[in-house]
Amino acid sequence: MTAVVIGDALIDEIRGASGVRELVGGAALNVAVGLRRLGVETTLIAMVGVDEAGEHIREYLRDHDVRLIESAAPLGSSRAVVTRSPAGEPQYAFNDAARGRSIRYGDAAREAISTADVVAISCFPFDRSDEVDALVDALRDARIALDPNPRSGMMSDVAEFVRGFELLAARAALVKVGADDATLLYDGDLDALRDRLRRLGAGAVLATAGADGAVLETDAGVFRAPIATLPGPVTDTVGAGDATLASVAAALSHGEPKTDAEWQQLLDDAMLIAAATCRAEGGLLRTPESLHEAERGVFGS
């Protein structure tokens, strides 16, 4: 099975009481590495700079056996400064490269997309019509798993972001949205957003609501799952959404589920993987079986 992931790759500069640390990150990068950890041969298409940060990103992807097809980054590699709110939630401030990120699709990218079993898209600049038009042209008839993953510090126009996102959602095999997405892009009603995306034409919609679990709506019916229970405390929720998208994209790379039981299994597996990812620091996807590898890959290369 093969997958392509399109979106962001960056350095997370994490600032806290203990000082400053730098981790390789980005939603799309996390999804790509997660897919590879789930056994899917994966290519990441992203903008990466010719600089020290870019070399860390490339080395990290090599370490995890993810192929990179990179677009030029005239302002250097993207960077996010990460702090915590008083409630403990991550807050992001992005550099000019991240806010102006751009992806182009040469022959290698188009070949990878055309032969992939699934194409996952996350944290894409949907508020730029030129970027959306280029993406649509490159995708052709690919099977798409889509996560808008908006970041307020990277968007210039919410209405335009919604327009670009919905253009892709209407043809996606699966769209994943969360409570934060519903709040940032719409009126905060996650159930209404799920219904809207289905009416637009999305083949399936996975709506995640943190501690309230998840709902997966498909032509076969509506499936529900609570958050999964695993041993150990929740350490870090960063990367849980990326792990969820990687899990469902990995399942779709084998073809669309054909029975109610297969759809429910797709959802249950995604919730387990999200729960495992939350039990280790960083955005690296974990499975319940891999939790003993707690330090591997967390800090990048």
Side-chain angles (χ1 to χ4, degrees):
M1 299 297 103
T2 62
V4 165
V5 183
I6 302 172
D8 62 332
L10 50 75
I11 296 295
D12 284 322
E13 182 182 312
I14 300 175
R15 298 182 180 179
S18 60
V20 178
R21 292 181 300 139
E22 293 190 354
L23 281 67
V24 174
L29 181 145
N30 287 339
V31 173
V33 172
L35 274 160
R36 192 68 191 96
R37 285 173 63 82
L38 294 173
V40 180
E41 186 178 335
T42 305
T43 296
L44 174 65
I45 299 175
M47 187 188 79
V48 180
V50 182
D51 50 24
E52 184 178 357
E55 286 308 309
H56 284 302
I57 292 168
R58 293 182 187 91
E59 185 177 1
Y60 183 76
L61 291 170
R62 286 195 298 269
D63 286 348
H64 288 282
D65 195 28
V66 173
R67 177 192 183 200
L68 173 65
I69 298 177
E70 58 189 82
S71 290
L75 297 179
S77 294
S78 298
R79 177 175 292 268
V81 176
V82 186
T83 57
R84 295 280 178 178
S85 72
E89 293 298 317
Q91 299 175 313
Y92 299 88
F94 298 94
N95 68 355
D96 289 342
R99 291 193 297 270
R101 67 200 188 285
S102 178
I103 300 175
R104 289 295 174 261
Y105 308 90
D107 291 344
R110 289 175 181 272
E111 173 67 17
I113 291 168
S114 70
T115 58
D117 295 299
V118 65
V119 177
I121 304 163
S122 183
C123 205
F124 186 86
F126 286 112
D127 53 343
R128 290 184 50 185
S129 60
D130 58 332
E131 294 292 327
V132 174
D133 290 345
L135 174 62
V136 169
D137 182 66
L139 287 171
R140 303 296 182 181
D141 59 353
R143 178 189 287 126
I144 301 169
L146 177 65
D147 185 348
N149 218 332
R151 297 285 186 269
S152 58
M154 297 173 87
M155 281 194 298
S156 59
D157 188 321
V158 172
E160 188 64 16
F161 189 100
V162 169
R163 186 203 70 80
F165 161 59
E166 291 188 347
L167 183 67
L168 270 295
R171 54 166 292 186
L174 184 141
V175 181
K176 175 200 165 291
V177 287
D180 290 348
D181 304 329
T183 298
L184 188 57
L185 300 178
Y186 297 90
D187 62 1
D189 189 329
L190 187 57
D191 289 335
L193 176 55
R194 192 180 82 232
D195 180 66
R196 176 185 179 89
L197 294 171
R198 285 283 289 157
R199 285 188 284 107
L200 283 172
V205 178
L206 172 59
T208 60
D212 292 328
V215 178
L216 175 61
E217 184 173 340
T218 76
D219 290 339
V222 178
F223 307 90
R224 301 177 186 275
I227 58 171
T229 301
L230 288 174
V234 171
T235 300
D236 187 354
T237 59
V238 171
D242 302 333
T244 302
L245 181 61
S247 178
V248 298
L252 289 176
S253 73
H254 294 275
E256 185 173 303
K258 295 179 173 57
T259 67
D260 288 3
E262 289 178 353
W263 278 114
Q264 187 65 55
Q265 190 66 55
L266 178 150
L267 179 57
D268 292 343
D269 288 346
M271 298 302 285
L272 271 172
I273 285 171
T277 300
C278 288
R279 280 160 173 78
E281 185 184 24
L284 186 69
L285 179 146
R286 312 287 181 175
T287 64
E289 299 78 18
S290 71
L291 285 174
H292 66 280
E293 302 175 335
E295 293 300 320
R296 180 178 180 270
V298 168
F299 301 108
S301 297

